[in-house]
Amino acid sequence: MMTTEIILPKHHKEQFDHGYDNVNEDKFVLGPHAYFSLMNDPKHLLFHLARYKFVMKMMKPDYRVMEVGCGDAFGTVLVASAVRSVNATDWDSRMVEDNRERMRQFENISFDVYDATSRPLSGGPYNAAFSLDVIEHVEPGKEDVFVKNIAESLTDDGMLILGTPNKYAESWASRESKIGHVNWKTHETLESLLSKYFQNVFMYSMNDEVLHTGFDKMGHYVLAVGSVPKR
């Protein structure tokens, strides 16, 4: 996997520590996804982190959180800085092992190999779950069990945040972003999916890094927040 390193001058390490007492190394190694964005489309890193910031702001400090489809976990650190712990999962065992090695300094982030279409996640119940840029890769015939298994991993008052590119923006998507997208969602279809498994569903849009509740068909990215799983 291609990686790069962000070197932190030793005399700035104390300034860098924003609540992570365990940050005791002088470098942070980017994973392959973040590295690719940095080298080929740097502005995408801003969009990516903005989505994770939204998730972070929805959390509470005592939450135990699960992430489904963490990739190289570049944004996971944002969420982890605001909660008790994050169990970051991905179906790709190579990615999970790489994350464990690269990100071992973050003691409140754990990594597990997990396929949400197979079963609820062990180690729960979790207060919240989130999954960004994943549902569009899930076969339509498996989307119900995907959401159902996540909902069953949560507490009775738990919350799930799903984010995905908007079907209405498909014609403007890059060739790279379309690869593997087999399950495009609109506001209506994503809300309908989550409403099967959550008592409450709240819908948002994003254009680049801007979060809004404007005309949904002009939003490039769709975010759904489901709360209180149906039992």
Side-chain angles (χ1 to χ4, degrees):
M1 293 184 179
M2 297 183 68
T3 61
T4 192
E5 296 179 354
I6 297 175
I7 305 299
L8 183 68
K10 293 182 182 297
H11 63 281
H12 287 324
K13 287 173 68 176
E14 292 184 2
Q15 299 174 28
F16 178 72
D17 184 357
H18 295 292
Y20 280 108
D21 294 333
N22 55 313
V23 175
N24 52 19
E25 300 186 4
D26 61 359
K27 63 183 179 181
F28 179 78
V29 181
L30 294 180
H33 296 165
Y35 176 82
F36 180 87
S37 291
L38 182 65
M39 300 303 295
N40 295 277
D41 188 12
K43 66 181 181 298
H44 186 265
L45 285 177
L46 180 60
F47 308 161
H48 181 75
L49 289 176
R51 297 165 189 172
Y52 275 85
K53 180 187 176 185
F54 171 79
V55 174
M56 178 189 76
K57 297 297 285 187
M58 295 295 103
M59 300 297 164
K60 294 183 179 179
D62 62 341
Y63 275 10
R64 298 179 64 247
V65 179
M66 60 181 282
E67 179 180 7
V68 178
C70 65
D72 65 10
F74 183 62
T76 306
V77 177
L78 267 180
V79 180
S81 71
V83 300
R84 187 197 311 179
S85 64
V86 177
N87 187 357
T89 71
D90 202 278
W91 67 271
D92 187 338
S93 60
R94 296 176 305 166
M95 186 68 73
V96 169
E97 287 302 319
D98 184 61
N99 289 344
R100 286 173 176 163
E101 174 63 24
R102 286 188 301 103
M103 304 183 69
R104 60 189 181 276
Q105 66 265 47
F106 297 102
E107 294 179 355
N108 70 332
I109 305 176
S110 59
F111 294 97
D112 281 313
V113 178
Y114 174 60
D115 178 359
T117 65
S118 63
R119 58 178 172 80
L121 181 62
S122 61
Y126 298 89
N127 304 102
F130 68 98
S131 183
L132 302 178
D133 299 289
V134 175
I135 190 68
E136 67 269 21
H137 301 286
V138 177
E139 292 287 344
K142 295 182 178 181
E143 65 177 21
D144 279 285
V145 69
F146 177 86
V147 177
K148 182 175 183 289
N149 282 335
I150 296 175
E152 290 183 356
S153 305
L154 300 175
T155 59
D156 288 342
D157 60 351
M159 170 179 62
L160 167 63
I161 301 175
L162 287 185
T164 183
N166 193 344
K167 169 69 175 175
Y168 290 111
E170 180 180 5
S171 60
W172 287 278
S174 66
R175 181 183 64 84
E176 291 79 10
S177 69
K178 290 181 180 180
I179 296 174
H181 288 195
V182 298
N183 194 9
W184 290 87
K185 292 295 181 187
T186 65
H187 269 240
E188 293 84 358
T189 57
L190 191 60
E191 182 177 18
S192 176
L193 175 61
L194 262 68
S195 294
K196 297 178 185 179
Y197 304 101
F198 290 88
Q199 299 285 351
N200 311 298
V201 180
F202 307 94
M203 302 300 300
Y204 302 88
S205 295
M206 289 189 78
N207 289 80
D208 294 350
E209 67 274 19
V210 178
L211 178 75
H212 63 88
T213 55
F215 186 55
D216 61 270
K217 293 178 177 59
M218 294 184 69
H220 173 74
Y221 198 77
V222 182
L223 283 158
V225 180
S227 67
V228 187
K230 293 179 178 179
R231 303 301 191 194

